[in-house]
């Protein structure tokens, strides 16, 4: 929630509308996008004797820094996470953070009773700055107690968040007495942070501005109900994050299109799932359209297997009909021939005297068709004999 607000704040400060940032135009340098660098801190206080802090550094939604609690050192997670700061400057910052994290826990524990913090509790801080088109465009420092907005640093003083109550007012009143702390915070936010941010943006340029084309494919989701289909369009492996994906019928956007969250892959590229719930008979003719800066205006369009599946159905039908014809034909033929055999057997009897002795040994197998053959032969012979007799005048 806090993060979302901060992100939104950053975007608005930069004068870019949310919608515009979601519809990528032609490829453009990432420095024109509002970008923030923030340090996130979460401190958990389990009881009077146990507390622990975690901290990390983020460029937008990409984690660039960790904090090693045991060693009290900054972990640089990207090759370019040092930006253009010198080793000395980074060491100074590291020392400052060591003092801060240590002091933070001690001070909170010392004031816990006065501030009426109730164990167990969690304090979070998000602090940083934004740049837009290469220029510093804003700073922020927000604190949360038990996951809710608690206070912020604005201008040159601490202010309680609306609705955070008298506890937040008390904390701000105390904090505002420490002029040194306010000065350090102001310097870090307004001077150090924008310089550092500009430095890592420059150093990480190649990775941050890389254009990776998405892959897209369709699948069918769990049926939303009888006679309905959930069409799923998967878009995966793209960079940068802004992407436009829509279910379409021709040039018409489908208003029921549901967009999921854009999820990160481990390699820094992104994944998005966009679904549409439709009546099964209306699925044909729909397509999923993907716009992304890496595609250079050549949208990806994938058609729901309307035509394809019709073709497939036709093919299946042809195969089934062919099989049926073959099957019926075969059984007809079998029936036909067995009918003939039955007829032959009925005419001549199974052991017709004019049997096929001439056909060699009678095996059960032969018995089935021999009578038929001999029947033809016998008739032929009879006729032949008759004509011979006539010829001889007998
Ligand atoms: C304080 O909390 C820690 C972490 O939950 C636990 O291990 C420890 O036993 C607790 N100590 C006391 C005195 O309650
Ligand atoms: C680092 O880069 C920024 C922006 O390009 C510049 O303002 C700054 O002077 C550079 N050097 C240091 C040590 O910050």
């Amino acid at each position: 929630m806090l993060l979302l607000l901060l992100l939104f704040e950053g975007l608005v400060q930069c004068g870019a509308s949310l919608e515009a940032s979601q519809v990528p135009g032609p490829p453009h340098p990432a420095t024109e996008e509002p970008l923030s660098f923030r340090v996130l801190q979460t401190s958990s206080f389990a009881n009077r004797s146990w507390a622990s802090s975690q901290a990390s550094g983020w460029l937008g939604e990409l984690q660039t820094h960790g904090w090693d609690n045991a060693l009290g050192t900054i972990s640089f997670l990207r090759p370019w996470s040092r930006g253009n700061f010198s080793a000395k400057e980074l060491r100074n910052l590291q020392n400052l953070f060591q003092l801060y994290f240590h002091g933070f826990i001690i001070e909170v524990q010392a004031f816990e009773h006065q501030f009426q913090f109730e164990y167990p509790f969690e304090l979070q801080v998000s602090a940083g700055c934004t740049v837009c088109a290469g220029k510093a465009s804003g700073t922020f420092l927000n604190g949360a107690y038990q996951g809710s907005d608690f206070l912020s640093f604005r201008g040159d003083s601490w202010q309680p968040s609306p609705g955070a109550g008298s506890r937040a007012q008390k904390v701000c009143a105390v904090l505002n007495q420490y002029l040194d702390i306010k000065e350090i915070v102001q310097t870090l936010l307004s001077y150090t942070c924008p310089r550092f941010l500009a430095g890592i943006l420059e150093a990480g340029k190649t990775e941050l501005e890389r254009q990776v084309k998405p892959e897209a494919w369709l699948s069918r989701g769990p049926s939303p109900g009888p006679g309905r289909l959930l069409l799923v369009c998967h878009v995966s492996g793209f960079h940068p994050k802004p992407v436009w994906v829509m279910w379409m019928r021709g040039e018409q956007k489908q208003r029921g299109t549901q967009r999921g969250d854009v999820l990160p892959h481990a390699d820094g590229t992104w994944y998005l799932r966009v679904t549409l719930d439709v009546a099964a008979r209306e699925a044909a003719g729909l397509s999923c359209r993907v716009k992304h800066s890496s595609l250079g205006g050549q949208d990806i369009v994938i058609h729901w297997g309307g035509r394809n599946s019709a073709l497939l159905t036709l093919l299946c039908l042809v195969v089934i009909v062919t099989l049926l014809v073959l099957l019926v034909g075969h059984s007809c033929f079998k029936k036909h021939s067995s009918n003939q055999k039955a007829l032959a057997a009925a005419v001549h009897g199974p052991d017709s005297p004019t049997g096929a002795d001439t056909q060699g040994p009678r095996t059960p197998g032969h018995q089935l068709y021999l009578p038929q053959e001999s029947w033809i032969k016998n008739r032929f012979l009879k006729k032949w004999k008759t004509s011979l007799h006539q010829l001889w005048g007998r």
Side-chain angles (χ1 to χ4, degrees):
M1 181 61 193
L2 191 69
L3 274 179
L4 260 180
L5 270 174
L6 290 175
L7 191 70
F8 186 74
E9 222 169 69
L11 289 169
V12 170
Q13 276 166 354
C14 216
S17 78
L18 269 174
E19 202 177 344
S21 78
Q22 277 173 357
V23 184
H28 51 271
T31 43
E32 283 179 18
E33 302 258 308
L35 262 170
S36 67
F37 180 76
R38 76 187 71 235
V39 173
L40 296 183
Q41 172 202 348
T42 302
S43 296
S44 306
F45 298 81
N47 49 47
R48 278 200 170 73
S49 54
W50 194 96
S52 164
S53 288
Q54 285 183 312
S56 49
W58 298 75
L59 175 64
E61 290 172 90
L62 185 67
Q63 189 180 355
T64 49
H65 299 82
W67 178 258
D68 188 316
N69 267 326
L71 299 174
T73 54
I74 300 171
S75 323
F76 298 93
L77 304 182
R78 305 274 157 180
W80 40 267
S81 289
R82 287 176 172 80
N84 63 353
F85 275 27
S86 66
K88 184 166 170 253
E89 199 161 7
L90 290 171
R91 210 166 36 244
N92 287 344
L93 275 173
Q94 188 168 281
N95 291 341
L96 191 73
F97 279 116
Q98 275 175 12
L99 276 175
Y100 168 72
F101 289 130
H102 185 67
F104 183 84
I105 285 181
I106 289 176
E107 292 302 319
V108 170
Q109 284 171 335
F111 281 93
E112 155 264 312
H113 188 68
Q114 187 182 335
F115 294 158
Q116 297 161 336
F117 289 147
E118 287 153 22
Y119 289 109
F121 63 90
E122 200 157 79
L123 300 178
Q124 288 162 285
V125 179
S126 167
C129 56
T130 54
V131 290
C132 193
K135 289 204 181 74
S137 61
T139 64
F140 54 87
L141 189 159
N142 295 281
Y145 169 69
Q146 303 291 45
S148 298
D149 290 345
F150 190 68
L151 56 74
S152 59
F153 188 80
R154 287 177 192 277
D156 61 354
S157 67
W158 300 93
Q159 293 177 9
S161 299
S166 60
R167 191 192 275 137
Q169 286 170 1
K170 236 185 258 180
V171 173
C172 288
V174 170
L175 282 175
N176 279 324
Q177 292 168 8
Y178 292 90
L179 300 181
D180 295 349
I181 291 179
K182 287 204 288 191
E183 208 170 293
I184 292 172
V185 168
Q186 234 175 342
T187 307
L188 283 175
L189 291 179
S190 309
Y191 174 67
T192 315
C193 182
R195 243 180 353 113
F196 184 66
L197 176 49
I200 56 173
L201 282 179
E202 186 61 34
K205 202 177 176 122
T206 317
E207 184 179 334
L208 296 168
E209 292 180 12
R210 76 193 194 281
Q211 295 283 331
V212 187
K213 286 183 187 176
E215 273 180 51
W217 69 93
L218 306 180
S219 74
R220 187 184 293 191
S223 173
R228 298 199 71 82
L229 283 180
L230 187 68
L231 315 187
V232 186
C233 182
H234 307 259
V235 185
S236 183
F238 54 91
H239 190 276
K241 193 179 182 185
V243 69
W244 183 95
V245 183
M246 190 59 78
W247 277 100
M248 313 279 291
R249 185 180 298 284
E251 290 301 310
Q252 201 182 346
K253 291 178 203 164
Q254 297 302 290
R255 283 171 57 203
T257 298
Q258 294 278 337
R259 187 183 157 106
D261 291 328
V262 181
L263 305 173
H265 282 303
D267 65 358
T269 62
W270 299 94
Y271 167 85
L272 174 65
R273 192 174 174 275
V274 169
T275 58
L276 184 66
D277 173 352
V278 286
R281 62 179 186 289
E282 286 166 11
L286 288 169
S287 60
C288 176
R289 180 178 284 262
V290 181
K291 292 176 191 280
H292 187 258
S293 53
S294 65
L295 298 170
Q298 300 268 321
D299 299 355
I300 295 178
V301 179
I302 317 180
H303 295 273
W304 180 255
R307 237 176 309 163
N308 284 354
S309 79
L311 218 121
L312 209 74
T313 313
L314 205 77
L315 211 81
C316 280
L317 260 172
V318 167
V319 168
I320 288 170
V321 166
T322 309
L323 276 174
L324 266 174
V325 164
L326 281 175
L327 213 77
V328 168
H330 182 66
S331 66
C332 271
F333 173 74
K334 261 175 101 174
K335 218 170 159 191
H336 180 68
S337 58
S338 58
N339 277 351
Q340 275 191 347
K341 282 165 207 158
L343 184 72
V347 170
H348 299 281
D351 31 32
S352 148
T354 53
D357 297 359
T358 48
Q359 297 293 319
R362 293 176 71 168
T363 63
H366 279 116
Q367 242 173 346
L368 279 173
Y369 65 88
L370 285 179
Q372 193 184 339
E373 261 177 51
S374 50
W375 178 63
I376 295 169
K377 262 184 194 163
N378 288 344
R379 277 187 63 164
F380 178 68
L381 276 172
K382 259 186 197 162
K383 270 191 178 169
W384 191 54
K385 273 181 189 166
T386 316
S387 34
L388 268 178
H389 285 179
Q390 281 169 356
L391 194 69
W392 289 100
R394 296 252 218 105

